[in-house]
């Protein structure tokens, strides 16, 4: 997903008139929104205008409202690490608050943050869940528009610092290249340490736009075959989907 530049192109596409420009910045009226996703489908930057802006203090107030009912917070996106200074301030505020000591601070990320960036936020985070959407550079480039060298470096760095909570692999039939590279992938995973949780996600066609809407959804047999190949290579801490489309 790209970053919204407030071009305003999505405003006329909204059937609920929930979008407008306020001082040159896109504004979303959540009370009018019917969650139809038309604006996302029409956005030339594959972004979303459905965002709200908070200061760290405002987000801390919201966090405190729910703190008694949760064990931690997970920031996701889009790509949450694109707002690294904000994340650092938010996590730091949680870690310094005596009444929020029970909350873990986790990041759900595509792994493209630099090692310098991970080093900056590491003192305030408890872990990260990282996506590796394909093994080879070329295949990853095809699927996501970017290579995966930096992502692999992030995964290794986080694992070495006991901050890799989960490695996520997205299985897309005929697209992802995990099985063709199963030996290299398994060696990589085994090098990360025994306790790393591998979560295999099944690609769902539903709700996907653009070229990917023509890709096949992954079924249980695809995931079972893939996890069997990992188990054969001593990777046993695996979570597979509960439901398939
Ligand atoms: S969401 Fe997309 S179309 Fe709408 S203002 Fe942002 S960049 Fe433009
Ligand atoms: S999802 Fe987007 S297009 Fe649909 S109602 Fe909400 S703001 Fe409007």
């Amino acid at each position: 997903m790209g970053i919204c530049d407030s071009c305003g192109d999505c405003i006329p596409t909204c059937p609920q008139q929930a979008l407008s420009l306020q001082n040159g910045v896109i504004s979303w009226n959540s009370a009018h929104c019917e969650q139809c996703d038309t604006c996302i489908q029409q956005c030339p930057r594959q972004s979303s205008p459905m965002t709200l802006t908070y200061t760290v203090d405002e987000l801390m107030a919201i966090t405190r409202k729910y703190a008694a009912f949760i064990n931690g917070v997970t920031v996701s996106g889009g790509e949450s690490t694109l707002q690294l200074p904000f994340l650092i301030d938010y996590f730091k505020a949680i870690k310094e608050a005596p009444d929020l000591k029970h909350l873990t601070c986790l990041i759900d990320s595509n792994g493209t943050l630099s090692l310098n960036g991970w080093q900056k936020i590491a003192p305030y985070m408890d872990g990260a869940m990282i996506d590796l959407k394909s093994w080879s550079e070329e295949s990853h480039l095809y699927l996501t528009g970017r290579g995966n060298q930096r992502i692999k470096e992030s995964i290794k760095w986080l694992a070495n610092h006991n901050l890799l909570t989960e490695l996520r692999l997205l299985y897309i039939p005929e697209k992802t290249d995990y099985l063709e590279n199963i030996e290299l992938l398994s060696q990589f995973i085994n090098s990360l340490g025994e306790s790393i949780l591998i979560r295999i996600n099944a690609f769902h066609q539903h709700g996907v736009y653009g070229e990917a809407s023509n890709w096949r959804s992954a079924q249980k047999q695809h995931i079972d075959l893939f996890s069997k190949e990992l188990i054969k290579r001593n990777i046993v801490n695996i979570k597979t989907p509960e439901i398939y489309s």
Side-chain angles (χ1 to χ4, degrees):
M1 191 175 264
I3 295 179
C4 171
D5 64 357
S6 290
C7 69
D9 286 1
C10 54
I11 294 173
T13 72
C14 175
Q16 304 301 322
Q17 286 79 50
L19 301 170
S20 60
L21 278 182
Q22 305 290 335
N23 300 321
V25 178
I26 194 78
S27 173
W28 172 56
N29 185 331
S30 59
H32 288 183
C33 177
E34 295 274 333
Q35 306 289 338
C36 67
D37 280 1
T38 307
C39 50
I40 296 177
Q41 291 165 33
Q42 298 300 322
C43 174
R45 299 175 67 83
Q46 293 176 310
S47 187
S48 169
M50 295 182 285
T51 58
L52 298 172
T53 304
Y54 294 111
T55 63
V56 170
D57 285 347
E58 286 165 343
L59 200 52
M60 284 296 282
I62 294 171
T63 307
R64 283 200 163 87
K65 197 168 145 192
Y66 298 102
F69 313 105
I70 58 176
N71 297 320
V73 297
T74 300
V75 293
S76 63
E79 176 49 36
S80 57
T81 62
L82 289 173
Q83 301 185 54
L84 189 67
F86 183 90
L87 290 194
I88 292 172
D89 289 348
Y90 176 49
F91 281 4
K92 199 171 170 206
I94 290 177
K95 293 298 176 192
E96 287 173 354
D99 59 325
L100 301 180
K101 285 256 175 288
H102 64 294
L103 297 186
T104 53
C105 295
L106 299 175
I107 300 178
D108 181 346
S109 166
N110 64 15
T112 52
L113 183 64
S114 67
L115 296 191
N116 190 29
W118 288 119
Q119 277 161 11
K120 284 185 186 157
I121 195 160
Y124 313 108
M125 66 186 270
D126 294 284
M129 290 79 89
I130 306 288
D131 289 302
L132 181 64
K133 292 209 165 77
S134 217
W135 174 257
S136 73
E137 183 83 354
E138 304 71 45
S139 171
H140 204 279
L141 197 59
Y142 167 71
L143 291 176
T144 70
R146 64 171 77 88
N148 60 14
Q149 204 47 46
R150 192 153 163 168
I151 299 167
K152 288 178 184 172
E153 280 167 18
S154 287
I155 291 167
K156 282 191 271 186
W157 191 91
L158 289 164
N160 284 340
H161 291 79
N162 292 321
L163 289 171
L164 184 62
T165 305
E166 191 173 289
L167 174 60
R168 295 178 175 171
L169 306 174
L170 175 67
Y171 196 98
I172 312 172
E174 292 108 36
K175 300 292 175 195
T176 30
D177 65 349
Y178 301 130
L179 288 175
E180 293 94 305
N181 295 287
I182 194 73
E183 297 302 341
L184 290 170
L185 173 66
S186 301
Q187 281 167 24
F188 178 74
I189 293 174
N190 280 321
S191 76
L192 301 175
E194 278 174 20
S195 60
I196 304 300
L197 173 64
I198 307 300
R199 183 181 296 277
I200 305 178
N201 289 322
F203 172 75
H204 294 287
Q205 203 182 39
H206 180 73
V208 175
Y209 311 120
E211 193 192 331
S213 62
N214 298 315
W215 298 349
R216 276 207 302 151
S217 295
Q219 301 301 327
K220 189 172 185 308
Q221 65 266 26
H222 296 118
I223 306 299
D224 286 350
L225 174 68
F226 180 33
S227 50
K228 230 188 240 175
E229 292 300 321
L230 292 174
I231 291 165
K232 261 195 231 168
R233 290 163 180 84
N234 299 322
I235 297 159
V236 291
N237 195 7
I238 300 174
K239 276 223 159 138
T240 54
E242 308 258 322
I243 48 166
Y244 294 87
S245 59

